[in-house]
Amino acid sequence: MTSIAPTGDQHTIEGGGFRAIVTEVGAGLRSLTHDGRPLIVGYSEKESPPGSAGVPLLPWPNRIEDGRYTFDGQERQLALTEPKSGNAAHGFTRTLPWRVFSRDDSSISLGLRLFPQAGYPHILDLTVSYALGDSGLEVEIGARNAGDTAAPYGFGAHPYLTLGEPVDGAVLQLPAAEWLAVNDRKIPVGRRGVQYTTYDFRTPRPIGDLALDTAFTGLARDADGLARVRLTTADGSRGVELWVTEGIEWLQLFTGDTLAPDHRRQGLAVEPMSCPPNAFRSGEDVIRLAPGESVTHRWGIGPLRPA
């Protein structure tokens, strides 16, 4: 009897010394290695993604308080998928099967038509594309409003960067000037500057025992328009980088302290987001997609060479 993986078909792509495994369910990134070294925390084909590892979060990232929001004068109620805290979390598409649109040896594109859901009466055509090149992995996430009414939209992704060891000894560089304080339900209560706080990683320093499940913004960008997050060993001999283009103004960092023991603090989730937590409720940075309108976002991961 053939065993079916919880994440469905497994799609392997290779190029430039990189190898990635992409899943049918959720269009997730299950593994990413460079010359055999893992760049993200992967998981077994026999598992579901622990802590939403590697999964795109659509059509909103993070949490919505009480699952309630108002759009164009309509009050809406989403299913409470985080019942312990009474929130709607991470969109709809993590557990849905995606169809392969195109692929070759080093790239793959998957698509999904998202039909109306409770609290979200819209139709979106969604795409996730992964491509490997000499510098690493590039990901493009797209959405087109295929319905006849305007739709609120946001995107997120959930890769856990790894150095192959616990994050406590890792050195983090994060070019973010602000962070969001949250309540005990992980809903934002205010924006704060990082200066003189434990959340200031603009100059690289060790993570230590700091527990992070924190959204950051005010991203500084390099001359090419990219904001880069870097994680390195203390001696600088190994490192991994995640980059985001303009239009991605938020990053959620999570040290995995609430995960099962095998995964706790084994990697640092660096989550690109187009809008902050609770965005459908607050309206901050929510993208309004008119009928027929499309939007894309790009981000990527690559190794850092020794200094």
Side-chain angles (χ1 to χ4, degrees), residues 227-256:
R228 292 176 165 88
V229 181
R230 295 184 170 102
L231 196 66
T232 60
T233 54
D235 63 3
S237 62
R238 288 180 287 116
V240 59
E241 172 184 272
L242 182 142
W243 55 265
V244 298
T245 60
E246 294 178 359
I248 301 174
E249 307 300 332
W250 296 87
L251 294 165
Q252 181 88 11
L253 270 64
F254 175 46
T255 45

Side-chain angles (χ1 to χ4, degrees), residues 271-283:
E271 308 169 33
M273 303 189 301
S274 62
C275 56
N278 211 29
F280 276 18
R281 185 119 168 191
S282 69

Side-chain angles (χ1 to χ4, degrees), residues 47-178:
E47 293 181 272
S48 293
S52 297
V55 181
L57 310 174
L58 304 163
W60 79 86
N62 218 286
R63 295 162 180 86
I64 299 174
E65 184 180 12
D66 300 323
R68 290 201 300 268
Y69 70 103
T70 300
F71 184 74
D72 282 355
Q74 295 181 354
E75 293 187 5
R76 297 176 173 179
Q77 178 66 60
L78 299 160
L80 301 182
T81 51
E82 197 176 57
K84 185 176 180 180
S85 56
N87 298 321
H90 291 341
F92 303 116
T93 66
R94 287 179 294 163
T95 58
L96 297 178
W98 291 61
R99 181 164 58 94
V100 175
F101 278 177
S102 63
R103 68 170 299 173
D104 57 30
D105 290 345
S106 61
S107 66
I108 187 169
S109 180
L110 302 96
L112 170 72
R113 174 160 286 174
L114 179 67
F115 286 98
Q117 307 285 318
Y120 195 83
H122 307 289
I123 302 173
L124 299 182
D125 284 339
L126 303 170
T127 57
V128 178
S129 299
Y130 298 95
L132 296 173
D134 291 341
S135 60
L137 174 72
E138 181 175 317
V139 186
E140 182 173 281
I141 297 181
R144 185 182 74 88
N145 185 347
D148 55 10
T149 59
Y153 174 78
F155 114 91
H158 215 295
Y160 288 75
L161 304 184
T162 185
L163 299 170
E165 58 190 47
V167 298
D168 303 63
V171 174
L172 172 64
Q173 183 177 12
L174 171 67
E178 298 177 305

